Every structure is written in structure tokens, then in C-alpha cells.
């Protein structure tokens, strides 16, 4: 009998591990996801979109950069630690949702 | 002509760069200063100045600045850096040269900042710091190519090795030789997202052209993080580390403390054989040795605590702890970044409060400042240890843990829980409605803690503690000794001499207020000077009971207390100290950092109310249980 760890993932991510399709945004990506940034497209949230976009870009989330989802927290699989072209950044899934990615294989 | 003019005054050079790239380490190496260096972003939060002489004989004033990812200045510490770069710092001539520091192992974000600063038109040199690590990892960096692409002089440096800054100094000399009149930057405007993106893409292009990454990158950090950031194991380890820290504070320090205590006892007896009975002897025995001495005994415990914190900081664990705690902190309405200031507050609330300057949202920063003093700072250790040592039996639980250590851990937990609780209430009732701020934090690679850096940190903290004992605590002890010694008892007095003193009068006057929480008049007297600093309360009790028991054998303070207080009183005093706002310097810093007297009084008021309530509930509860 194997113990499922799917409950550790956010709702969308659990489905994704099964389908193995390319997730649309980093906020919903499962642990271990590797991919490339397609766009940074912030939606209004805790910050004005323009400000969120600048902060993400300043931390290296730029089109074409390689990302890898290395770690996630215990509760709601949040926050996440993402490797972006050699730098490890911790952020919450809510903000990571602004980063659109395509899976690399 | 120019050369002569520029030599006739001190030239000013400023260190800028992204967080954690080694600016302060360079600053210390170049100026011989001892500013705080640690392996997490956001260590330096204000400008620091030092002096050095270059090989060519120039006198240079060096400026260390808080790290920043961009010139946009989102938080109070970054404002300082932006203003320095733009030459807007009030009352200062703009620097003659900027040394832009970059982490050679991780140039991506550094290069964008270099490009951004270059656009301000300020003269600069780019230092590739941590070059030792880059070489060790087998990275190859084409310095000439970087220089050509960036259009600024580039030099490598190693801040933590002797001689690692020679090339940098030579480059600085070269750059300062060029005629230049310092000026404020003109025409800088905050870049929009598209602008930042353009710069980052340009930086990425240069990086690809000039830097070759090795086939096998750093795997130590990745492997350690697999365990330390594991959702379950990571949290368990964090908890275990904190638990070990408090157990160690209690158990490791004990033998040395016994030694110091024995030393002071012997000193007291020896003085007694030298001096005749009288006021002078009483002052030295009761005021100095029993008072100040009773605080100095705690130096080993404080050093053990700092050893843990310094090691965690230098290892690179602090950002990880913030990552692991983010959800829990967020649930209490705190910013994930608040964890580092709160953890620093275990040492002392003041640096903790200062380091909240890295928090960008004012509301979150304020909330963190208001709860930081609830974290158990090292000044509470003497109070806790004294009471625990006197009232909690020294036995082991389950054969491994000491019961006293467990109680200490419980008190620390109470501090953390109350900080989370208060911030939850603040968020609910005071700072309503604001959406949660995002949490974004870089997790630096682990580094082997630098022995010199850790020892230097310990030495500095030890010195601060001794200085406090020699100034604030000593001064308060003189006051307490006088109050407890005058007026002298009348002829034929029947009660102990101290009952006739001013101290007793003050203490008895306080009794109606403090009796419901189980405090006797001696505690009341100790609480007032304890406002200056928490340890003073221990010293005051030491003096008051030493004078009171002057007739008897000089007993150790702990056992004197055990004979005079009920357990209920002891527990109530512990509860009181979890919350009591007993530290004047913290209040001053809160006033400065919040820019408001109102918030300072708010802090004072709510902590006092909590302290009284907690002591009341504890005392009355304990009495009901028959411990009165
Ligand atoms: N191996 C090595 N380590 C270094 C070097 N320079 C700095 N460090 C380490 O890097 C970490 C960060 O150094 P700091 O000097 O605190 O960095 P900072 O740029 O002042 O950081 P902030 O004040 O947060 O902006 C510390 O652990 C230093 O010991 C270097 O040249 N080589
Ligand atoms: Mg620094």
C-alpha cells in the first residue's frame, strides 16, 4: 500500500501530476516541475499588477528563463521555492500564478 | 592640478549591490570595522561609514549601504541606498566613486543592477566578489569581456581572505585618479516593468557571452535543502533546533555559571575580611557583589544563545526558517519576512526592530515592530533562570530532557504564541482590510560558518552585556542600595533594618496594586528600576534580600527566594515577565522606528495590561490549586 501525498498539492496541481500536461502558470505547478517562462502576466491581487510584475522581473522571472519548482510548504503546498536560472527564490503560489510557464522535457 | 585638488580632501566611495553579495564583508576587510555580516539578505539596514588609505596614499571615506535589487526603493532601507546612488542623501556630498559589488557565483541579478546604476551616470567599478567560491565551483568568467560589454572597470575580490581586496583597491585608486566632480544623478526616473525587463534581458545576454557555468553546479545546497526544506522533516528540524537552543542555554552554561557564582561568593567573603563592618562594606557586598554580580553570572547563558543564533545566521538557515514559517506567520497576519526580525529578537528586540526595515509594507512593518518585544530576549534569561532554578526541581523528564529546560522552552513558546496572537488581533481590529503582502525572498546558498566572524559576534555581544552591567545596571544598583539603606533604623528597632528604609516605603505603597498578582513589596521595588533593563530586577532582588538578610549567612539569591516566596508568586512573576514592557531602550527605538510617540505608548500599554492580566490569572489559578 502506498501513501498518497496528493493532499499536499493545491487542487489544480494534483490533477496535473496525473495528466502530465504543461501547466499554464507556475502557481499551479506541481513539485519537481521544470520549465521555461513564457510570459509574466500579473493579475490584480495583493499588489497593483504593474508593481507585482516589476518585483517578479527584478527577482529574475523573465521570459525564457528556466524554472524548477524545488520545494513547497506543508500547508496547502505553499509557499514554494523556485530555482530561476541559478537563483533560488521563495514566494507564494498566489504571486507565482502571474508567471506563465511551459514544461521542458 | 586636478590631482592635487582631489588629494587635498577625503574622497568618498560607496559600496552598493544586491542583498547578501558581501558588501559588508568587503567594508570590514577594507576599513577594519566590525559591522554585522551574515548569510541572509537584508542584514545591513542603515548606512555605515569607515575610513581607509589606498595603496597610492589616498584617504578614502567608505560608505556601506543596504543591499537592493533595484533603485526603486520599496522599503525604508532601500531608500537610503537609492538616495546615496542618486546623490540625494541630505547633508552629504555625493560619492566620488561607486563600487558596485556582485556575487560572482550568481551574477544574473547583479548585472541588471550594474546596468541600472550605470544609467545614472555615476562613476563606478564593478567588483566580482566571492570569487573564491566561483573558482571552486569551476565557473569561468571572462573579466575582459564583461568590462567591454558593461563599459565599466571590472575586478575580482574575495572579502573573507587576507589580500583578497588588493586588486580592488588598485582599481579604486585608478578610478579616483581620474578628474571628477561629484554630482547628483540627473534625469533618473523609476523604470516601469518593461524597462526592468529590457535591462534584465540585456544582462542575460552579457552573462551568456562572458560566463561559462560548470557542468555540475553546487549540489551541497540542493542536497541539504532536500531535508531542511522538506515540508514535514523541515518543520520538525526547525522545531528541534529551537528546542535544542533553549535546552543548551540552560544546561551547557551551568558549569561555568557555577564557577562565576563561586567566584563572587568568595569575593564577597574576602572583602568582608578586609573592611570593617559599615556602610562601605554593605555597599560593596550588597550593592556591587550581590547586585551587579547576580547579573554577571548569566553571561555564559547569553553567549550560548548568541552562539546558536550566529551559527544559524552565518550558515544561511534564516531565510529557510522564514520559508518554513511563512504560512504560520501569514495565518497570524504577519509577513513571512517578519520571521527573521522576530528570530533576531530572541537575542534582543532592538536589532530585531531595526531589521524590520526590510519589510516593504508599512502596515506589516508596524505589526512586526509591535510584537517583536514579546519574543523572549536575552535580558529575560536572568529572570527566568533565577526563578526556575529556585522553584522548579532539577530532575530529568523521560531521561533526556531537563525539567528546568522544558519550563524555559515553555516560556519561549509562550512568547512566540503571544506574538502571533497579538498580531492576529492587530490585523483583525487595528489594521483591517489590507490584503496580505506578497512574500518573496531569496534563499542563498549555504556557507560554512566563518569561525572568526562568529567569535567576533560573540565577543561583541559579550562586551555589550558587560558594558550594560557596568553602566545601566550598576547605576540602578547604586540607587537601589541607597533606597534600601536609608534612613537607618531607629535605636532599639525590632524589625530588620530594611523595613525602615525608603525602599520598603515605596514597596509597601505599591502593595494594593501588586498584591492581587501575588507580588510582595520586595518584588514591587525591583520592578521599578527594572524598567531601565530587565536584568536590573534580578540585581535589585539580589541587593534587597542581601540587605534584609545581612544578619544571616550570605545565602545564594535563589535559595533565599525559595524560602520567601510561594510557588504561586514565582509563577506569577514568570508570567509577568513574558509580557512586561520592562526595557526603556526598546521603547526609545520603537518610537524612532515608527516615528510616533503614539505607537510607543500603545506598545507599552498593551504589554503592561497583558502582563498584569497574565500574572493575575497565574497567581489566582495557582492559589486555587493550593500552591499559594
Ligand atoms: N567565501 C566567501 N564568502 C563571502 C565573501 N564575501 C562575503 N561572504 C559571505 O557572504 C555572506 C554575506 O555577506 P555580507 O557582507 O553580510 O553581505 P551584504 O552584501 O552586506 O548583505 P546585506 O547587508 O544583506 O545587503 C556572509 O556569510 C559572508 O561571510 C567572499 O568573498 N568569499
Ligand atoms: Mg551588509
Amino acid at each position: 500500500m502506498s501513501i498518497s501525498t496528493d493532499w499536499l498539492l493545491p487542487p489544480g496541481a494534483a490533477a496535473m501530476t496525473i495528466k502530465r500536461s504543461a501547466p499554464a502558470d507556475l502557481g499551479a505547478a506541481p513539485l519537481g516541475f521544470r520549465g521555461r517562462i513564457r510570459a509574466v502576466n500579473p493579475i490584480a491581487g495583493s499588489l497593483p499588477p504593474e508593481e507585482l510584475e516589476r518585483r517578479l522581473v527584478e527577482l529574475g522571472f523573465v521570459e525564457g528563463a528556466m524554472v524548477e519548482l524545488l520545494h513547497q510548504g506543508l500547508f496547502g503546498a505553499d509557499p514554494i521555492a523556485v530555482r530561476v536560472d541559478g537563483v533560488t527564490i521563495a514566494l507564494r503560489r498566489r504571486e507565482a500564478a502571474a508567471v506563465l510557464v511551459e514544461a521542458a522535457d | 592640478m586636478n590631482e592635487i585638488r582631489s588629494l587635498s580632501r577625503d574622497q568618498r566611495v560607496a559600496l552598493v549591490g544586491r542583498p547578501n553579495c558581501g558588501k559588508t564583508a568587503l567594508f570590514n576587510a577594507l576599513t577594519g570595522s566590525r559591522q554585522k555580516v551574515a548569510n541572509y539578505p537584508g542584514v545591513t539596514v542603515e548606512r555605515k561609514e569607515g575610513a581607509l588609505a589606498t595603496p597610492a596614499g589616498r584617504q578614502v571615506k567608505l560608505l556601506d549601504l543596504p543591499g537592493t535589487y533595484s533603485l526603486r526603493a520599496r522599503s525604508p532601507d532601500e531608500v537610503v541606498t537609492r538616495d546615496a546612488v542618486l546623490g540625494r542623501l541630505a547633508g552629504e556630498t555625493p560619492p566620488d566613486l561607486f563600487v558596485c559589488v556582485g556575487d560572482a557565483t550568481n551574477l544574473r541579478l547583479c548585472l541588471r543592477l550594474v546596468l541600472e546604476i550605470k544609467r545614472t551616470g555615476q562613476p563606478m567599478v564593478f567588483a566580482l566578489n566571492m570569487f573564491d567560491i566561483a573558482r571552486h565551483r569551476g565557473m569561468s568568467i571572462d573579466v575582459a569581456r564583461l568590462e567591454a560589454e558593461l563599459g565599466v572597470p571590472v575586478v575580482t575580490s574575495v572579502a573573507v581572505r587576507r589580500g583578497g581586496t588588493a586588486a580592488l583597491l588598485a582599481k579604486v585608486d585608478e578610478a579616483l585618479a581620474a578628474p571628477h566632480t561629484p554630482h547628483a544623478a540627473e534625469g533618473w526616473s523609476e523604470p516601469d516593468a518593461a524597462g526592468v525587463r529590457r535591462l534584465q534581458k540585456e544582462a542575460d545576454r552579457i552573462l551568456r557571452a562572458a560566463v561559462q557555468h560548470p557542468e555540475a553546479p553546487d549540489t551541497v545546497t540542493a542536497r541539504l535543502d532536500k531535508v531542511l526544506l522538506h515540508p514535514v522533516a523541515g518543520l520538525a528540524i526547525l522545531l528541534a533546533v529551537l528546542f535544542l537552543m533553549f535546552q543548551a542555554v540552560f544546561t551547557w552554561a551551568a558549569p561555568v555559571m557555577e564557577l562565576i557564582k563561586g567566584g563572587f561568593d568568595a569575593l564577597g567573603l574576602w572583602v568582608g575580611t578586609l573592611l570593617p563592618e559599615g556602610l562601605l562594606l554593605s555597599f560593596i557586598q550588597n550593592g556591587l557583589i550581590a547586585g551587579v554580580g547576580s547579573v554577571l553570572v548569566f553571561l555564559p547563558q547569553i553567549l550560548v544563545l548568541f552562539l546558536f543564533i550566529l551559527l544559524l545566521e552565518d550558515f544561511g538557515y534564516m531565510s529557510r526558517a522564514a520559508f518554513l514559517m511563512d504560512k504560520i506567520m501569514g495565518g497570524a497576519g504577519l509577513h513571512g519576512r517578519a520571521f527573521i526580525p522576530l528570530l533576531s529578537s530572541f537575542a534582543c528586540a532592538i536589532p530585531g526592530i531595526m531589521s524590520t526595515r526590510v519589510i516593504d509594507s508599512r502596515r506589516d512593518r508596524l505589526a512586526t515592530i509591535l510584537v517583536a518585544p514579546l519574543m523572549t530576549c536575552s535580558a529575560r534569561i536572568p529572570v527566568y533562570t533565577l526563578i526556575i532554578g529556585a522553584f522548579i526541581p532539577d530532575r530529568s523528564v523521560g531521561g533526556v530532557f531537563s525539567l528546568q529546560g522544558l519550563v524555559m522552552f515553555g516560556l519561549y513558546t509562550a512568547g512566540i504564541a503571544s506574538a502571533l496572537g497579538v498580531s492576529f488581533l492587530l490585523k483583525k481590529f487595528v489594521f483591517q482590510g489590507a490584503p496580505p503582502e506578497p512574500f518573496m525572498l531569496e534563499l542563498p546558498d549555504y556557507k560554512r560558518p566563518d569561525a572568526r566572524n562568529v567569535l567576533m559576534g560573540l565577543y561583541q555581544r559579550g562586551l555589550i552585556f558587560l558594558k550594560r552591567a557596568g553602566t545601566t545596571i550598576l547605576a540602578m544598583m547604586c540607587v537601589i542600595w541607597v533606597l534600601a539603606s536609608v534612613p537607618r533604623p531607629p535605636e532599639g528597632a525590632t524589625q530588620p533594618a530594611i523595613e525602615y528604609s525608603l525602599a520598603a516605603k515605596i514597596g509597601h505603597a505599591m502593595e494594593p496594586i501588586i498584591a492581587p498578582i501575588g507580588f510582595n513589596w520586595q518584588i514591587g521595588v525591583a520592578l521599578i528600576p527594572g524598567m531601565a533593563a530587565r536584568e536590573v530586577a534580578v540585581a535589585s532582588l539580589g541587593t534587597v534580600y542581601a540587605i534584609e538578610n545581612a544578619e544571616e549567612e550570605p545565602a545564594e539569591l535563589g535559595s533565599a527566594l525559595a524560602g520567601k516566596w510561594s510557588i504561586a508568586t514565582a509563577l506569577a512573576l514568570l508570567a509577568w515577565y513574558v509580557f512586561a514592557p520592562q526595557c526603556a531602550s526598546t521603547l526609545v527605538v520603537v518610537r524612532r522606528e515608527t516615528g510616533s510617540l503614539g505607537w510607543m505608548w500603545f506598545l507599552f500599554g498593551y504589554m503592561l495590561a497583558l502582563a498584569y492580566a497574565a500574572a493575575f490569572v497565574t497567581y489566582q489559578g495557582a492559589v486555587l490549586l493550593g500552591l499559594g
Side-chain angles (χ1 to χ4, degrees):
Chain A
M1 198 189 97
S2 76
I3 297 164
S4 164
T5 52
D6 278 358
W7 59 276
L8 288 173
L9 302 176
M16 225 148 352
T17 26
I18 298 159
K19 278 196 290 164
R20 296 236 176 268
S21 66
D25 71 68
L26 190 59
L31 189 64
F33 171 82
R34 283 158 161 278
R36 195 176 283 283
I37 299 181
R38 252 184 14 222
V40 179
N41 187 13
I43 13 73
S46 49
L47 288 176
E50 163 84 12
E51 176 60 21
L52 177 59
E53 183 177 354
R54 273 194 292 193
R55 288 198 195 180
L56 286 168
V57 175
E58 277 168 9
L59 288 175
F61 290 94
V62 181
E63 289 75 5
M66 291 295 297
V67 288
E68 181 178 354
L69 204 159
L70 295 176
H71 309 282
Q72 58 188 15
L74 175 60
F75 310 103
D78 205 28
I80 53 177
V82 184
R83 189 103 179 139
V84 196
D85 268 355
V87 188
T88 310
I89 307 281
L91 76 170
R92 297 193 183 132
R93 288 191 179 267
R94 184 189 161 96
E95 276 78 44
V99 179
L100 303 184
V101 286
E102 60 193 3
D105 27 27
Chain B
M1 184 62 203
N2 266 326
E3 183 73 59
I4 294 165
R5 199 191 56 209
S6 58
L7 277 179
S8 64
R9 66 175 175 87
D10 281 2
Q11 284 175 299
R12 300 170 56 85
V13 175
L15 295 167
V16 292
R18 65 167 208 159
N20 208 43
C21 63
K23 298 175 294 299
T24 307
L26 271 178
F27 178 80
N28 287 349
L30 290 170
T31 64
S33 314
R34 291 165 181 180
Q35 294 302 330
K36 178 168 175 171
V37 167
N39 191 14
Y40 61 88
V43 178
T44 309
V45 293
E46 52 185 355
R47 61 183 284 291
K48 298 278 179 188
E49 210 175 86
L52 71 116
T54 64
R58 285 189 175 76
Q59 294 301 316
V60 169
K61 278 235 158 33
L62 191 66
L63 205 60
D64 184 24
L65 294 168
T68 179
Y69 289 103
S70 78
L71 291 181
R72 290 196 302 116
R74 302 175 325 220
S75 48
D77 59 327
E78 293 180 1
V79 169
V80 176
T81 307
R82 179 199 62 199
D83 289 352
V85 172
L86 300 181
R88 289 182 190 161
L89 276 186
E92 276 186 24
T93 41
D96 298 271
L97 178 69
F98 286 87
V99 173
C100 191
V101 184
D103 169 354
T105 63
N106 221 325
L107 277 175
R108 199 162 169 247
L109 306 181
C110 304
L111 283 180
R112 207 207 56 247
L113 187 64
V114 171
L115 293 173
E116 198 174 331
I117 295 176
K118 196 179 149 213
R119 290 176 141 208
T120 65
Q122 299 285 25
M124 75 163 153
V125 166
F126 182 35
L128 294 172
N129 193 39
M130 306 206 192
F131 202 68
D132 53 331
I133 306 181
R135 199 165 23 206
H136 181 77
R137 289 200 193 147
M139 292 173 67
S140 91
I141 301 178
D142 185 344
V143 174
R145 182 72 191 267
L146 264 186
E147 219 160 42
E149 294 279 358
L150 291 170
V152 300
V154 179
V155 64
T156 63
S157 70
V158 181
V160 294
R161 192 117 0 112
R162 197 178 292 273
T165 56
L168 172 62
L169 276 175
K171 268 282 193 274
V172 166
D173 254 334
E174 224 172 86
L176 285 178
H180 167 74
T181 350
H183 58 84
E186 275 152 32
W188 179 84
S189 64
E190 210 179 285
D192 58 3
V196 180
R197 187 180 265 114
R198 252 195 320 280
L199 280 184
Q200 184 61 59
K201 289 196 167 153
E202 169 72 358
D204 283 345
R205 187 189 63 75
I206 297 175
L207 197 66
R208 273 194 300 275
V211 179
Q212 237 87 61
H213 283 277
E215 294 297 311
D218 169 44
T219 54
V220 177
T221 297
R223 270 183 291 169
L224 276 174
D225 271 345
K226 278 236 157 55
V227 181
L228 295 181
L229 289 185
H230 185 274
V232 182
L235 271 174
I237 291 172
L238 173 62
L239 216 67
V241 166
L242 292 181
F243 186 75
L244 179 71
M245 179 159 109
F246 304 132
Q247 283 275 324
V249 163
F250 222 89
T251 51
W252 295 4
V256 192
M257 288 174 70
E258 288 300 323
L259 270 182
I260 302 181
K261 207 183 280 171
F264 276 113
D265 289 348
L267 188 67
L269 289 176
W270 180 68
V271 173
T273 63
L274 288 188
L275 291 172
E277 199 69 30
L279 273 186
L280 181 63
L281 179 64
S282 161
F283 176 71
I284 294 180
Q285 274 188 333
N286 303 330
L288 294 187
I289 298 176
V292 179
S294 62
V295 173
L296 286 182
V297 166
F298 296 99
L299 180 63
Q301 287 196 318
I302 286 170
L303 292 183
V304 170
L305 178 74
F306 277 104
L307 177 67
F308 267 85
I309 293 181
L310 287 168
L311 284 176
L312 290 180
E313 286 182 347
D314 222 23
F315 179 50
Y317 190 67
M318 296 302 255
S319 327
R320 269 80 184 179
F323 174 84
L324 292 169
M325 291 298 290
D326 175 64
K327 253 282 148 54
I328 298 166
M329 309 285 285
L334 281 170
H335 199 279
R337 289 210 70 172
F339 189 73
I340 295 177
L342 290 185
L343 203 59
S344 312
S345 302
F346 280 146
C348 171
I350 292 172
I353 289 170
M354 296 279 291
S355 61
T356 62
R357 289 188 187 181
V358 301
I359 297 178
D360 27 287
S361 137
R362 175 163 163 83
R363 183 188 63 96
D364 287 346
R365 182 162 171 248
L366 204 52
T368 311
I369 291 176
L370 289 175
V371 302
L374 287 172
M375 305 302 279
T376 302
C377 68
S378 58
R380 284 178 176 96
I381 290 181
V383 185
Y384 287 177
T385 311
L386 176 70
I387 299 174
I388 291 176
F391 291 91
I392 308 293
D394 182 14
R395 46 185 181 84
S396 79
V397 176
V400 221
F401 307 120
S402 92
L403 178 63
Q404 299 185 331
L406 280 178
V407 173
M408 191 78 159
F409 184 63
L411 289 168
Y412 272 93
T413 316
I416 300 170
S418 59
L420 295 182
V422 169
S423 69
F424 181 77
L425 294 178
L426 279 176
K427 163 125 175 178
K428 197 139 185 137
F429 297 110
V430 185
F431 307 119
Q432 292 161 331
E437 274 280 314
F439 163 72
M440 295 184 193
L441 180 64
E442 193 180 337
L443 305 180
D445 290 343
Y446 292 108
K447 289 203 174 67
R448 190 178 317 122
D450 179 29
R452 257 197 52 203
N453 189 23
V454 171
L455 287 179
M456 189 55 72
L458 273 184
Y459 169 77
Q460 279 180 319
R461 295 311 306 194
L463 213 59
I464 291 175
F465 178 77
L466 292 180
K467 269 197 192 135
R468 261 156 71 101
T471 52
T472 316
I473 299 179
L474 181 65
M476 285 297 144
M477 283 345 295
C478 294
V479 173
I480 277 288
W481 178 81
V482 169
L483 288 179
S485 305
V486 295
R488 308 290 294 162
E491 286 298 320
T494 49
Q495 288 175 302
I498 198 166
E499 283 295 333
Y500 302 92
S501 69
L502 276 173
K505 289 214 173 62
I506 298 172
H508 285 305
M510 289 172 73
E511 267 177 341
I513 314 172
I514 58 177
I517 56 176
F519 292 2
N520 57 21
W521 72 261
Q522 289 91 341
I523 300 179
V525 173
L527 290 183
I528 300 177
M531 288 302 208
R534 291 182 173 89
E535 310 95 317
V536 173
V538 167
S540 306
L541 287 172
T543 298
V544 169
Y545 280 112
I547 293 180
E548 186 169 321
N549 302 337
E551 329 291 74
E552 305 152 28
E553 274 295 288
E556 186 230 326
L557 180 55
S559 39
L561 295 186
K564 308 226 176 224
W565 294 357
S566 67
I567 293 197
T569 294
L571 293 179
L573 190 58
L574 285 179
W576 167 270
Y577 264 98
V578 171
F579 301 104
Q582 296 271 52
C583 175
S585 13
T586 301
L587 294 175
V588 172
V589 171
V590 168
R591 142 103 246 227
R592 193 185 67 206
E593 295 293 307
T594 58
S596 134
L597 214 55
W599 284 118
M600 184 193 89
W601 285 117
F602 176 80
L603 176 82
F604 183 81
Y606 99 73
M607 285 182 75
L608 195 63
L610 274 181
Y612 195 87
F616 182 81
V617 170
T618 309
Y619 180 69
Q620 300 295 348
V623 168
L624 281 183
L625 291 174
L627 299 172

